[in-house]
Amino acid sequence: MDHEGTHFDGQYPHIFVTLGASGDLARKKIYPTLWWLYRDNLLPSNTHFFGYARSNTTIEEIRAKCEPYMKVKKAEEKLYDEFWKLNYYISGKYDVRSDFEKLNQAISQYEKGTVANRLFYLALPPSVFEDVTVLIKNNCMGEKGWTRIIVEKPFGRDSASSQKLSDHLSSLFDEHQLYRIDHYLGKEMVQNLMTLRFGNRIFGPTWNRDNIASIQITFKEPFGTQGRGGYFDEFGIIRDVMQNHLLQILTLVAMEKPATVHPDDIRNEKVKVLKCVNTLHLSDVVLGQYVADPNGKGEALTGYLDDPTVPEGSITPTYAAAVLRINNERWDGVPFILKCGKALNERKAEVRIQFEDVPGDIFDGKPKRNELVIRVQPGEALYCKLMVKTPGMAFDMEETELDLTYVHRYENVKLPDAYERLILDVFCGSQMHFVRSDELSEAWRIFTPLLHQIENERIAPTPYKFGSRGPKEADELLKKNNYTYSGSYKWYKSNI
């Protein structure tokens, strides 16, 4: 595609700096991603990697901690050693100018020639964002090329804190230098939504209020907080998943066709659709918090409040279902149901578009509603549920599917990790799959009043059992919002 962000300066030096290099995110995601990009020869040839954190550690110790996540094959061990030879570590504080001057001097040694570019990944707690970005601006900006800053969520806790962070960042950097990362935008099936909608004639005429009854966007995890409840408790499931990942998917499902595939044309349409979304009210939401399943095993025997890191009597929801409404010509009256939760019955992320009943039914109520399902994880798939005549002599009907399961259709294709795509996008300068400041502002407008009401009025979440489908009230919410569940469809699952 001929648009901004498809080319990088392969021959010039690039320095990739991970701030927070000793943390969880760096160990589990950033270092593995950099290794995979290096292994697949997708990075500029002259790239060096710096880690920076307060910890008094070494690059050897970081390597040892990253080992379980790197997926190194036997034949790659020599290349893997070469990757680590390009890695360096500097210990320093996040609010001391001289430490950032030391980092800048270390980086400069590898910037030979007339052009050199820098990337900074802020894998840091939000409490230090402001100090760190000021010190980067004053001491570590690239003098021979561009500097790009990758900002990891959370982008604030509500409208006010998000605006404060946005104002702070925009006072230091231009918007084209900022990459607010939401890793869901790097997932294969989320990226596929654009092509699916705007590259196929078959969907266009039915993608509206006249044909679609409801749209569900679901995120489920089969495990609890796994001892990290204290961190999770600061945010809760709405801030952690719904206000960012699920809302981003909603914009791609609901937006109008952009003028081109230029990143800003796409992001303009995402902002437009968010502007049409009404603010959420408590009556449109079901909140839940998981409790132990006495008949379960392992982690299922502990509820959210049993986690010693969770404050006593916490009302933080671990499950939320919410109905959003888009007040525009295409979607007026169509409920968008967002559901997300921990400690549920399965791991799943999907978009489920349910069409209206067939008008003028001649089959005595036997036809079930058509559904288009886009499965984001696990086992990427796109399938459409539809009615067919049952094979054989009898004239009966049953549900089946048109099935595009990626593991079958693209058997030998390796799908990259979401972070691989997104970090490569930053090297290339493409902001298509990153969140713009006005988009972020609209997202917080939708959720902030609800979040404040939950906290100020201490709205107690409904308990649900570890390993269940979540609170039963969520099923009632779906029924009220034009989603019908027949239970008759059977997915013939292959071994994915």
Side-chain angles (χ1 to χ4, degrees), residues 155-169:
F155 315 118
R157 286 181 55 81
D158 56 14
S159 288
S161 56
S162 173
Q163 193 58 50
K164 182 171 178 272
L165 178 61
S166 285
D167 291 346
H168 170 78
L169 290 172

Side-chain angles (χ1 to χ4, degrees), residues 89-286:
Y89 177 78
I90 288 175
S91 172
K93 293 195 167 67
Y94 294 131
D95 55 357
V96 175
R97 180 178 184 134
S98 58
D99 288 348
F100 277 77
E101 288 171 345
K102 187 171 73 175
L103 173 65
N104 184 54
Q105 285 165 7
I107 291 172
S108 301
Q109 294 174 35
Y110 297 93
E111 295 183 320
K112 305 288 187 276
T114 53
V115 178
N117 301 316
R118 296 183 180 186
L119 300 85
F120 291 87
Y121 196 125
L122 307 189
L124 297 166
S127 55
V128 298
F129 271 12
E130 293 195 12
D131 287 340
V132 166
T133 46
V134 167
L135 289 169
I136 289 172
K137 177 68 177 175
N138 293 336
N139 305 288
C140 294
M141 297 296 280
E143 291 174 10
K144 299 177 174 181
W146 47 254
T147 301
R148 292 173 185 157
I149 314 290
I150 306 171
V151 186
E152 182 67 53
K153 76 177 183 72
F155 315 118
R157 286 181 55 81
D158 56 14
S159 288
S161 56
S162 173
Q163 193 58 50
K164 182 171 178 272
L165 178 61
S166 285
D167 291 346
H168 170 78
L169 290 172
S170 65
S171 72
L172 301 171
F173 309 106
D174 294 333
E175 185 65 34
H176 68 80
Q177 294 176 293
L178 293 167
Y179 291 74
R180 294 174 193 84
I181 197 165
D182 181 335
H183 75 273
Y184 252 65
L185 289 176
K187 290 194 176 286
E188 178 71 31
M189 298 310 288
V190 175
Q191 296 204 330
N192 203 5
L193 277 164
M194 284 269 298
T195 308
L196 191 67
R197 286 194 58 196
F198 305 122
N200 294 293
R201 175 72 178 162
I202 192 171
F203 297 120
T206 57
W207 211 267
N208 54 44
R209 63 192 296 271
D210 299 327
N211 298 285
I212 292 175
S214 64
I215 294 177
Q216 251 192 94
I217 303 170
T218 305
F219 172 95
K220 297 164 91 172
E221 287 180 330
F223 48 84
T225 51
Q226 298 180 321
R228 297 183 71 237
Y231 172 78
F232 177 83
D233 203 78
E234 290 178 44
F235 302 100
I237 199 74
I238 295 176
R239 288 186 180 93
D240 196 41
V241 177
M242 188 179 281
Q243 182 270 345
N244 38 70
H245 302 333
L246 300 195
L247 199 64
Q248 284 296 323
I249 294 175
L250 178 145
T251 60
L252 293 167
V253 171
M255 72 183 194
E256 297 299 318
K257 190 186 221 173
T260 70
V261 289
H262 185 283
D264 271 336
D265 285 341
I266 292 166
R267 297 197 296 180
N268 288 345
E269 293 304 333
K270 288 167 76 180
V271 172
K272 270 189 213 168
V273 84
L274 285 174
K275 283 184 172 177
C276 298
V277 177
N278 298 330
T279 304
L280 259 180
H281 298 290
L282 196 60
S283 55
D284 290 322
V285 178
V286 170

